[in-house]
């Protein structure tokens, strides 16, 4: 397990350690995506009529990401809770991407899971081949927060390293799956999560106790913000140069968040409500991309 403050989960009182994905508190409190009609009225239950053409052929869904995609700390107990995952979850309240695809097509896709708790972009280069081997028609990528949320600013993945690795990841997926599509999501705004911690002593104390994101909370907020901007610029540019790759337009990064959309366990990972917001955002981005 990497010694990354951002990845320290669950806390000493449970005696459990897991890897914290990323400040997806940030990415989680999504109000929606720019560019594209709302997928459905959230008060009306699961979505049934987005652009079905965008997912009509999806029988297998590939997942590349970190602990956010694994639903870490979203449920009552610390650790992974894939049932509450924004992408592969089965809980009705989350209305995950897989669930939305099932409503749109009449069949729930199989999951090719290449997400790893605490993963950086380098880790996904190791799991991507297995995802490709499962021959999914759609692959989601949500990565980068752990690259920025290192123990120190000096330890962050450089912008150049991230760009090179992300390009290799896209090529691995798209070259290996000539008929598949990729949905590339932007990296959350970690600086805005820090604002929440500053406003709440209880949250700040929890993060301090768990050693959360040293680079962010030890005076490196501006450096982290710039690095995340660099990552997002790379994702956008690399995706734009490849056919069958859709970027979310920075929608994840642009979203605000609330304490209620963060896990009660660590106040860092998305809660069920946060996972549901992220699912909605991803669906709208996918629908906007069309078929």
């Amino acid at each position: 397990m990497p010694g990354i403050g951002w990845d320290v989960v669950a806390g000493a009182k449970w005696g459990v350690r897991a890897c914290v994905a990323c400040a997806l508190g940030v990415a989680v409190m999504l109000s929606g995506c720019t560019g594209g009609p709302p997928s459905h009225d959230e008060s009306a239950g699961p979505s049934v009529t987005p652009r079905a053409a965008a997912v009509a052929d999806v029988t297998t869904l590939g997942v590349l990401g970190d602990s956010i995609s694994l639903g870490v700390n979203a449920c009552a107990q610390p650790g992974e809770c894939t049932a509450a995952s924004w992408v592969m979850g089965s809980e009705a309240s989350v209305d995950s991407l897989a669930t939305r695809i099932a409503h749109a097509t009449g069949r729930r896709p199989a999951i090719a899971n290449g997400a790893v708790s605490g993963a950086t972009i380098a880790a996904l280069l190791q799991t991507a081949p297995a995802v490709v081997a499962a021959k999914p028609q759609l692959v989601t990528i949500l990565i980068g927060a752990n690259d920025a949320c290192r123990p120190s600013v000096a330890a962050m993945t450089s912008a150049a390293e991230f760009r090179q690795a992300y390009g290799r990841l896209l090529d691995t997926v798209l070259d290996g799956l000539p008929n598949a599509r990729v949905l590339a999501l932007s990296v959350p705004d970690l600086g805005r999560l820090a604002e929440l911690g500053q406003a709440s002593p209880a949250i700040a104390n929890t993060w301090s106790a768990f050693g959360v994101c040293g680079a962010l909370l030890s005076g490196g907020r501006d450096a982290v913000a710039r690095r995340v901007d660099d990552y997002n610029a790379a994702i956008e540019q690399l995706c734009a140069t490849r056919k069958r790759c859709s970027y979310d337009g920075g929608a994840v990064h642009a979203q605000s968040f609330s304490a209620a959309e963060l896990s009660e366990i660590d106040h860092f990972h998305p809660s069920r409500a946060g996972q549901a917001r992220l699912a909605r955002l991803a669906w709208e981005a996918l629908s906007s991309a069309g078929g």
Side-chain angles (χ1 to χ4, degrees), residues 8-105:
V8 177
V9 185
K13 74 177 185 179
W14 289 284
V16 177
R17 295 174 69 85
C19 292
V20 168
C22 60
L24 213 232
V26 231
V28 232
M29 337 306 140
L30 321 159
S31 55
C33 161
T34 57
S39 59
H40 69 294
D41 180 351
E42 288 192 317
S43 65
S47 57
V48 291
T49 57
R51 295 184 186 175
V55 296
D57 64 339
V58 179
T59 58
T60 300
L61 175 61
V63 180
L64 291 170
D66 50 32
S67 58
I68 296 168
S69 295
L70 293 170
V72 164
N73 287 0
C75 300
Q77 299 299 318
E80 294 180 8
C81 183
T82 55
S85 161
W86 69 270
V87 59
M88 68 181 89
S90 57
E91 291 189 2
S93 65
V94 173
D95 198 11
S96 71
L97 190 60
T99 297
R100 291 166 186 256
I101 291 171
H103 286 309
T105 66

Side-chain angles (χ1 to χ4, degrees), residues 118-143:
T120 61
I121 184 63
L124 297 193
L125 290 173
Q126 304 302 312
T127 62
V131 171
V132 170
K135 301 187 183 305
Q137 293 77 35
L138 173 65
V139 178
T140 63
I141 303 176
L142 176 56
I143 197 67

Side-chain angles (χ1 to χ4, degrees), residues 249-279:
V252 167
H253 184 266
Q255 300 309 307
S256 186
F257 55 91
S258 69
E261 290 167 315
L262 296 179
S263 167
E264 293 183 358
I265 293 173
D266 60 11
H267 303 293
F268 217 64
H269 283 94
S271 63
R272 282 184 173 90
Q275 291 281 352
R277 289 286 188 178
L278 186 55

